[in-house]
Amino acid sequence: MPRAWVSELLFLAALLAGALVLALFFGYLPWFLLLALAILFGRWCHQLYRLDSWLRSRRRNPPSSWGVWGQLFDDYYRLRRRHHLSKRRLAAVIREFREATAAMPDGTLVLDREFRILWYNQAACTLAGLTSRSDFGQPVSNLIRSPRLVAFIEVGDFERSLEIPSPVDPTRRLMLRIVPYGDEQYLMLIRDVTRLHRLQAMRRDFVANASHELRSPLTVLGGYLDSMVEDRDLDPAWRAPVRQMRAQCQRMNNLVNDLLELSRLETEESDAPMDSPVDMPALIRRLGRDAVLADAEAHPLDIDIETERCLHGVENELYSALSNLVINAFRYSEAERPVSVRWHEADDGGLVFEVQDRGVGIDRRHLPFITQRFYRVDSSHSRAQGGTGLGLAIVKHVLKRHGAELDVESEPGVGSIFRCVFPSERACATRQRRSSAV
Ligand code: ADP
C-alpha cells in the first residue's frame, strides 16, 4: 500500500483509538466516535479548501501537507509543471515558426478546410493587400479577388500553381501555390514573380520581333529563288545549289512562322472561348486534303469521322495543331505506309482526335520530352524532312488552351498513335455519323 495511505489510515486509527480511550473513562462512546469522524471530516474540508485556493492562486509551490492530501498536492504540482513546460515549449515553437514565416519574402497564409484565413504573415499583407485583423476568418477568395483563384480552388488540382495579377498593383504578377497539410488545412504561398514574368515577356517579344523582322527578307529571298529555279536560262551548274537554297529558305520560313505562332500562343493567357463552335468534321476533312496535297511521298490517308460532334474553340489554332500531327505522321513514316485519322467520342462524352502511323516510332525514354521546343529524337531526319522542332510544342499549347490532353502511344519500328483528348464541356451539337477516305 502506498505510504500516503498508510499514514492516512494510521491517523484514522489513532482518532478511533482516542475515541475508545475517552469512552472508557467517560462513557458516551457514540459521541466520541462522532467527534473522531468530525475531526477527520474537518481535516478533509480544510485540505480541500487549501487545494481550491492554491489552484485559484498564481502561487507555484503547493501547500505542504501529509498523508493522502500531501500526495495529492505533490502529484498535482508535478502535472501542473509538466503541462506548463510543454506549453512553454509549444509557444516557443509557434513563436519561432511565426518569426521564420514573418521573415520570409513570400506571403504565407494558413487556411482552414473552407479556405478561410486562419493566419498570415507580413509579406502576405504587402503582396495581397490583406490589412486588418478582421481579415481573419474570411474566405481567401473574398480578399484576393480573382475569378481564376475561385476556379483554381474549385478544381482543387494543387499540384499546379496559379499566376494572377496582384490585387494591390495590377502591373505586378503573383504566383500562388496551395499546399494541403494536416487535417484538411492548407498553406497558401504567394510569390512575386513580376521580374520573371517580365523576363519571359522580354524573351517572347524578342523572339516575336526577330521572327517578324526576318519574315520580309525571307519572302524577298524566297521570291528570287523561286524565279531562279524556274528560269530556263540559268546556268545548269547553279541549278542544284539554287534548289538547295530555296529548300533552306523554305525551312527558315517555316521556322519563323512556327516561332511566331508559338510566341502568340504563349502570350495568350486565357483559355480558348467556349462560345464559338468549330465544325471539327469539316476541319478534319479539309486538313486531310491539304496534308495529302502537300505530301510528296503519297502516303495513303484514311479519315474516319465517327461522330459529327463539334468543339468550342479557336478554328485556326485547332487546324494548326491537328495538321502538325498529321504532317508528323507522314514525315516519320516511309512512303506509302498508311496513316489513319479518327474523330470519335470518348466514354465520358469527351471528343478524341487520333492519328496513327506505321512509321519509325519513338523510344519510350523520349516521350516525356517530345513536346519541348526544339526537342528531336533524330535531328538529322527531322531537319531533312523540313521539321522545325516546334510542331509538338505548338500542339501542346493549343491543347492546353482548349483544356485538352495529348496522349502518345509509340513503339520503335511499329508506329505511333497521337491522341488529343478534349473534355466533354467543349463538345457541342451532334450531326449525322459518316465515314470517308481521302
Ligand atoms: P519536328 O518539326 O522535328 O517534327 P515536332 O515538335 O513536331 O518537331 O516533333 C518533335 C520530335 O518528336 C520529332 O523531331 C520526332 O523525333 C518526334 N516525332 C513527332 N511525331 C512523330 C511521329 N509521328 N513518329 C515518330 N516520331 C515523331
Side-chain angles (χ1 to χ4, degrees), residues 183-213:
D183 181 22
E184 285 196 61
Q185 288 214 325
Y186 300 92
L187 204 63
M188 180 185 261
L189 303 169
I190 307 176
R191 174 170 290 181
D192 187 340
V193 287
T194 314
R195 227 172 83 83
L196 191 72
H197 193 75
R198 282 190 190 141
L199 279 174
Q200 280 173 350
M202 265 169 64
R203 180 184 59 80
R204 269 199 310 266
D205 290 350
F206 173 75
V207 172
N209 291 339
S211 313
H212 197 73
E213 291 300 323

Side-chain angles (χ1 to χ4, degrees), residues 157-188:
D157 177 9
F158 299 135
E159 292 286 302
R160 296 170 55 185
S161 55
L162 173 73
E163 225 183 277
I164 55 167
S166 157
V168 183
D169 174 0
T171 61
R172 304 197 74 78
R173 305 283 303 181
L174 300 181
M175 189 177 81
L176 269 53
R177 272 205 84 103
I178 295 184
V179 186
Y181 75 97
D183 181 22
E184 285 196 61
Q185 288 214 325
Y186 300 92
L187 204 63
M188 180 185 261

Side-chain angles (χ1 to χ4, degrees), residues 328-329 331-332 357 360-362 370 375-378 382 387-393 416 418:
N328 275 354
R331 192 174 278 162
Y332 299 104
D357 64 56
V360 294
I362 308 167
I370 54 171
Y375 188 89
R376 291 159 166 127
V377 176
D378 178 351
S382 159
T388 60
L390 294 172
L392 291 183
S416 316
F418 283 76

Side-chain angles (χ1 to χ4, degrees), residues 101-104 106-108 119-127 130:
T101 44
M104 266 167 52
D106 294 347
T108 311
W119 179 83
Y120 54 78
N121 66 354
Q122 185 55 41
C125 297
T126 325
L127 291 171
L130 307 179

Side-chain angles (χ1 to χ4, degrees), residues 212-223:
H212 197 73
E213 291 300 323
L214 280 170
R215 228 180 185 175
S216 322
L218 275 174
T219 315
V220 176
L221 269 177

Side-chain angles (χ1 to χ4, degrees), residues 44-45 76 84 132 136 170 223 238 244 312 333 350 390 400:
W44 282 31
C45 283
Y76 197 84
H84 187 68
S132 64
F136 287 110
W238 276 100
Q244 221 172 359
H312 286 298
S333 39
L390 294 172
K400 190 172 154 220

